[in-house]
């Protein structure tokens, strides 16, 4: 997934540049929220990447599940990394892999154990608590801004996540 980025005129050493400060703040906020989620879900011996896979599978609209290639694209991870992650999840009984010989693809779906974990145990309490500091309007604005940044980032990286991939992340 290595892609060549366009070179900008602003060196990273411009520590007072407002865009660099904003990106650093965004990154730090993301780290804090994800760490809170990790602490919340570790009691179920689940990792954040596993929870992300379960989220994607829960939102998937296809009956077959999601292909390993699609998971790789959606999570911006290398295929071998997704394979390792899903193998662990399969051994834990959270997902199952189904080979479609007609298409020569492997589909991933949640098992009843994975559904129970996702639907009844994993909560969003830490995220909800942290985001509760924002008003409903501020949340709508933040969602709009983050979607704009995500879209521009995908353009910069040359990532084309057209439907059906994008549908999974649509509200």
């Amino acid at each position: 997934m290595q892609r060549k980025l366009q070179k900008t005129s602003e060196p990273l050493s411009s520590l007072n540049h407002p865009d660099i400060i904003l990106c650093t703040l965004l990154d730090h906020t993301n780290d804090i929220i994800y760490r809170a989620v990790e602490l919340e879900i570790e009691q179920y011996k689940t990792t954040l990447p596993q929870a992300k896979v379960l989220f994607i599978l829960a939102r998937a609209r296809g009956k077959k599940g999601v292909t390993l290639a699609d998971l790789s694209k959606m999570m911006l991870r290398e295929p071998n990394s997704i394979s390792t992650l899903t193998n662990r999840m399969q051994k834990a009984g959270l997902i199952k892999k189904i080979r479609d010989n007609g298409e020569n693809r492997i589909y991933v779906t949640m098992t009843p154990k994975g559904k129970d974990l996702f639907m009844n145990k994993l909560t969003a309490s830490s995220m909800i608590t942290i985001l509760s500091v924002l008003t409903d309007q501020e949340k709508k604005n933040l969602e709009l801004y983050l979607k704009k940044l995500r879209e521009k980032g995908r353009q910069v990286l040359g990532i084309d996540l057209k439907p059906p991939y994008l549908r999974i992340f649509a509200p």
Side-chain angles (χ1 to χ4, degrees):
M1 297 206 91
Q2 296 285 346
R3 303 207 194 284
K4 210 171 187 184
L5 297 179
Q6 293 176 349
K7 190 165 181 144
T8 62
S9 59
E10 196 67 39
L12 189 57
S13 61
S14 301
L15 298 177
N16 293 324
H17 192 285
D19 291 349
I20 293 173
I21 292 170
L22 187 58
C23 284
T24 302
L25 180 60
L26 185 60
D27 183 55
H28 192 223
T29 303
N30 183 60
D31 288 346
I32 289 170
I33 292 171
Y34 278 3
R35 183 65 186 132
V37 171
E38 286 174 332
L39 290 172
E40 185 179 355
I41 68 175
E42 73 181 8
Q43 64 184 309
Y44 302 107
K45 296 183 176 34
T46 304
T47 65
L48 190 55
Q50 290 174 338
K52 286 179 182 182
V53 168
L54 293 175
F55 176 80
I56 289 168
L57 295 177
R59 301 276 313 235
R61 291 178 171 90
K63 290 185 181 180
K64 288 184 175 181
V66 176
T67 67
L68 289 174
D70 291 345
L71 276 175
S72 176
K73 290 175 186 174
M74 287 182 265
M75 294 181 70
L76 298 177
R77 294 179 71 165
E78 294 294 329
N80 64 335
S81 172
I82 292 298
S83 183
T84 301
L85 173 62
T86 55
N87 285 343
R88 284 191 193 131
M89 293 178 75
Q90 187 172 24
K91 284 180 187 170
L94 301 174
I95 63 165
K96 63 181 174 180
K97 293 180 182 180
I98 303 162
R99 179 173 291 280
D100 184 330
N101 291 329
E103 296 181 28
N104 198 24
R105 294 176 182 224
I106 297 174
Y107 287 87
V108 180
T109 60
M110 273 195 278
T111 62
K113 180 180 177 180
K115 285 180 185 173
D116 178 60
L117 175 66
F118 183 76
M119 301 301 282
N120 300 318
K121 296 181 179 122
L122 299 182
T123 67
S125 296
S126 55
M127 286 186 256
I128 292 168
T129 300
I130 292 169
L131 291 172
S132 71
V133 72
L134 300 176
T135 66
D136 288 343
Q137 186 59 50
E138 289 171 329
K139 289 176 188 177
K140 287 178 185 175
N141 290 341
L142 180 59
E143 180 183 9
L144 174 72
Y145 303 145
L146 290 174
K147 284 180 176 179
K148 284 175 80 170
L149 290 171
R150 181 181 66 189
E151 182 62 33
K152 182 61 177 178
R154 288 199 321 236
Q155 288 174 6
V156 167
L157 293 173
I159 297 171
D160 185 22
L161 295 178
K162 299 276 186 208
Y165 315 121
L166 201 50
R167 286 187 303 220
I168 291 173
F169 298 107

